[in-house]
Amino acid sequence: YDVFDEVARAVGAQALALAHTADDQAETVLMRLLRGTGLTGLAAIPMTRSLGECTIIRPLLDIWRTEILAYLKTHHLECRQDATNEDPRFVRNRIRTHLLPLLEQDYNPHIKALLNQLAEQCRTDVGLLQAVAQRHWKRLVKPHARGFQIQLEGFGKQPPAIQRQLIRLLIQHLQGGLDRFEFRHWVEIERLMTERPIGTVLNLPGDLTLTRDDKDHVIARRLTPGRCPPHSSKGMVAGVGLAPQR
């Protein structure tokens, strides 16, 4: 995607069309489920999303690979096959060539359609949660030195699903994405918000820290590269960073 972004900027493209299919969507949902994911992860591949100043569109996301190959054959067109798609070292390839055929044969012949259906349902639900969280953002989260200040009383009155969406927004504002964040991080963040003592500092992936500033606020910051947060005599430092999953 970095390469796509670079080329799009170089040629002044406003949109980038990618050829992900319904099969890719099914594989993505199953792969994320096996690795452990939440509602947002199960929403899987979106039809559109931004990439820098460009918009990614996926016009084939509702079309099956067999339909595309049949079209190519009918119209005597050739396509390019990436050799790495057959490499069993990659989890996605093993899901495509071994796990999904097994599930289709022995469990449910419509498994890929059902996985796509699950992704669509999750995208709908996540969209609603994100919209509600956006409405609460300006009221509960204020700019602070190198970061944001979270108002805990109002935050605590929100349902857990909205709280997590607010934290997702917070992380995205601070570092642009949620790379390397896993379920254990959400658990630690929730504990910081509800039960950790004043002065507690929580280290998170991407040089992010959350600090229980007082009984009413948590401060979220992104540290400068190479710096570590100071240890507080009133609290603790919880290091919960993990290596990214490939």
Side-chain angles (χ1 to χ4, degrees):
Y1 285 96
D2 289 340
V3 173
F4 287 151
D5 185 34
E6 181 181 340
V7 174
R9 291 175 185 273
V11 302
Q14 295 181 329
L16 170 67
L18 300 183
H20 293 106
T21 67
D23 295 82
D24 294 315
Q25 185 73 291
E27 294 161 10
T28 300
V29 174
L30 190 53
M31 182 169 62
R32 292 185 177 180
L33 184 63
L34 291 172
R35 286 181 169 177
T37 189
L39 195 64
T40 303
L42 290 177
I45 306 173
M47 276 286 193
T48 65
R49 78 170 180 87
S50 60
L51 179 69
E53 299 176 359
C54 185
T55 299
I56 290 177
I57 60 175
R58 296 184 173 92
L60 304 180
L61 195 58
D62 286 336
I63 302 176
W64 298 106
R65 189 177 293 124
T66 53
E67 295 178 281
I68 296 172
L69 293 175
Y71 179 90
L72 295 175
K73 183 177 181 180
T74 299
H75 294 274
H76 308 289
L77 299 172
E78 295 184 1
C79 64
R80 177 175 296 178
Q81 296 284 354
D82 188 334
T84 62
N85 286 340
E86 306 300 323
D87 191 335
R89 292 177 298 173
F90 297 105
V91 174
R92 179 183 289 274
N93 293 346
R94 296 200 300 275
I95 288 174
R96 178 189 308 122
T97 59
H98 297 291
L99 182 54
L100 274 172
L102 175 66
L103 293 173
E104 285 180 311
Q105 178 178 320
D106 293 347
Y107 294 90
N108 191 327
H110 307 296
I111 184 65
K112 290 195 291 187
L114 294 175
L115 290 169
N116 273 264
Q117 179 179 299
L118 175 61
E120 173 60 28
Q121 291 172 332
C122 290
R123 279 197 300 276
T124 299
D125 292 347
V126 167
L128 174 61
L129 293 174
Q130 289 174 339
V132 174
Q134 285 282 4
R135 291 202 296 268
H136 291 294
W137 173 264
K138 290 184 179 181
R139 182 171 62 87
L140 300 177
V141 184
K142 304 296 183 183
H144 194 270
R146 297 209 320 270
F148 296 93
Q149 181 185 67
I150 308 161
Q151 201 274 321
L152 288 181
E153 182 180 0
F155 181 89
K157 292 179 180 178
Q158 304 306 313
I162 301 303
Q163 291 179 359
R164 291 190 179 184
Q165 286 299 325
L166 285 167
I167 294 298
R168 291 181 70 88
L169 283 173
L170 184 72
I171 295 168
Q172 289 169 340
H173 274 83
L174 286 169
Q175 70 170 22
L178 288 94
D179 293 344
R180 297 188 291 155
F181 273 80
E182 297 189 358
F183 184 73
R184 65 169 65 187
H185 300 128
W186 302 115
V187 173
E188 289 296 331
I189 291 169
E190 288 169 357
R191 288 176 177 170
L192 180 73
M193 298 291 192
T194 59
E195 63 187 62
R196 298 299 190 196
I198 294 172
T200 299
V201 180
L202 177 62
N203 294 339
L204 295 168
D207 289 325
L208 301 185
T209 67
L210 296 183
T211 305
R212 187 68 181 259
D213 190 51
D214 54 41
K215 66 183 180 69
D216 298 318
H217 297 93
V218 163
I219 306 300
R221 295 187 180 93
R222 184 170 191 183
L223 302 176
T224 55
R227 291 189 58 188
C228 294
H231 289 257
S232 171
S233 60
K234 296 185 292 181
M236 70 174 189
V237 175
V240 292
L242 295 173
Q245 290 186 348
R246 299 293 184 186

